[in-house]
Amino acid sequence: MTAMKEPRDGYAQALLELGAQHDDVFVLDGDCATPNYTIRFRNAYPERFVNIGIAECDIIGTAAGLSLLGKVPFANAYANFLTGRGYDQIRVSVAYCQRNVKIAGHNAGTTAAQEGATHLPLEDVGLMRAIPDMTVIVPADATEMHKATLAAYEFDGPVYLRVGKLPVPELTGEETPFTIGKAVTMREGSDVTLVSTGCILSEVLKAAEILKTEGVKAEVLHVHTVKPIDAEAIVTSATKTGAVVSAEEHSILNGLGSAVAEVLGENLPVPLERIGTRDIFGLSGTMDELFDYFGLRAENIADAARRAISRKA
């Protein structure tokens, strides 16, 4: 059985390691240190932890100021409020001013399901992707979140990390490569390319197994970095398979689906089907219930693959 783990756990562990190795690491939060697991950093390095309170704009502004002092701040809050309320500060004080700030959006996607529509961000990746010079990373599991956090520290420039709350399957290992901006081929195939980002990877891999029983060889391309997108990997795979499906636990508007459509439209027009939420707000429920409600399951992805294959010239 595949192990289940919270992505926020991998994030918190990486912060502890960075704090031990680098005196310039600061962590900021807004009264959510316990659910965000940043309390672990606070307990270990209280002199480098700042609780701003429920004031997302101030969290970003303070982080930008710390970066001016040569610090590497990790700004934490719930993703919907951090990217929504803090958008202007992220855009101007961080990105426009080229500040080395790492922005961690917690409770992201359907992991916020039971907290209701207002707390369920399905647009955060799109908001961050639209900002110039912003790097956007959506890890699949806790192990990859750990790697992404360490890589974000080494990266010079603003980074948005999408941090999931609830346990998801551990599908990557220590041996799985992680480089910002480089996709990972999780499965080789020749009939259709399944491009995924984030925790929906488990459903994508299940869809590939479903298709295998039908004689369809699906290639699975995991794109943990939505921006900059690995256009070369997508085009290379699409050239081989001739059909593509994108899958994300996020709106298809300005998320992974849009990014893949842009790459294919500019380089290699092939049939593309997009799995994700479709111009809709979230609602209360469990994570499993919302995966069903939004049509993010393996069978939905397999159906999309069948449609894409049927549209091949």
Side-chain angles (χ1 to χ4, degrees):
M1 176 179 280
T2 304
M4 302 284 285
K5 195 171 182 181
E6 300 167 351
R8 60 179 171 170
D9 185 68
Y11 173 73
Q13 182 58 38
L15 286 185
L16 283 175
E17 293 172 18
L18 289 171
Q21 298 165 8
H22 307 285
D23 292 338
D24 58 359
V25 173
F26 276 65
V27 173
L28 301 83
D29 210 316
D31 282 349
C32 291
T34 297
N36 291 346
Y37 285 2
T38 57
I39 193 170
R40 301 179 190 176
F41 187 95
R42 186 197 72 180
N43 291 341
Y45 309 104
E47 72 283 359
R48 287 186 275 141
F49 180 88
V50 185
N51 179 27
I52 303 294
I54 303 174
E56 291 79 14
C57 299
D58 287 346
I59 291 173
I60 297 299
T62 303
L66 283 169
S67 73
L68 279 169
L69 300 175
K71 311 304 181 184
V72 182
F74 282 77
N76 301 265
Y78 283 4
N80 57 319
F81 301 126
L82 192 59
T83 62
R85 290 178 182 163
Y87 183 85
D88 185 48
Q89 284 71 30
I90 293 171
R91 178 177 177 270
V92 177
S93 299
V94 174
Y96 179 75
C97 294
Q98 300 180 318
R99 299 273 71 90
N100 189 30
V101 174
K102 316 308 171 185
I103 301 159
H106 292 260
N107 226 29
T110 57
T111 64
Q114 291 170 293
E115 296 180 40
T118 59
H119 283 56
L120 199 155
L122 299 172
E123 317 86 17
D124 57 313
V125 171
L127 286 170
M128 296 298 97
R129 180 174 173 257
I131 296 177
D133 295 324
M134 180 66 70
T135 293
V136 180
I137 305 176
V138 188
D141 54 28
T143 296
E144 191 167 67
M145 179 63 70
H146 179 270
K147 295 177 184 176
T149 306
L150 298 179
Y153 172 82
E154 298 294 340
F155 183 85
D156 185 17
V159 175
Y160 177 67
L161 287 168
R162 196 183 207 220
V163 186
K165 174 182 179 180
L166 300 179
V168 297
E170 283 285 284
L171 299 170
T172 70
E174 293 305 322
E175 74 287 351
T176 306
F178 184 92
T179 301
I180 292 177
K182 294 295 182 183
V184 180
T185 300
M186 302 293 293
R187 183 177 181 134
E188 298 279 354
S190 57
D191 298 319
V192 63
T193 300
L194 308 181
V195 185
S196 76
T197 194
C199 67
I200 202 172
L201 177 60
S202 61
E203 296 295 328
V204 172
L205 290 170
K206 290 177 187 176
E209 283 297 317
I210 293 172
L211 293 169
K212 181 181 177 180
T213 65
E214 302 169 9
V216 176
K217 298 176 182 177
E219 181 150 294
V220 176
L221 195 63
H222 172 50
V223 178
H224 50 66
T225 307
V226 178
K227 182 187 176 186
I229 193 85
D230 191 346
E232 181 180 0
I234 293 169
V235 171
T236 297
S237 183
T239 299
K240 178 167 58 171
T241 65
V244 177
V245 175
S246 66
E248 60 195 308
E249 182 216 13
H250 181 273
S251 173
I252 61 171
L253 302 177
N254 206 26
L256 176 71
S258 288
V260 172
E262 291 159 12
V263 169
L264 295 177
E266 293 175 355
N267 297 278
L268 183 73
V270 298
L272 168 66
E273 296 284 337
R274 296 184 293 168
I275 293 292
T277 63
R278 294 178 174 271
D279 202 19
I280 187 173
F281 286 106
L283 71 167
S284 297
T286 66
M287 188 174 179
D288 280 341
E289 287 170 340
L290 289 195
F291 260 67
D292 292 336
Y293 179 80
F294 290 133
L296 306 179
R297 291 299 188 188
E299 190 53 59
N300 304 119
I301 298 166
D303 280 341
R306 296 181 192 110
R307 293 195 300 270
I309 291 171
S310 72
R311 291 169 51 203
K312 286 186 185 183

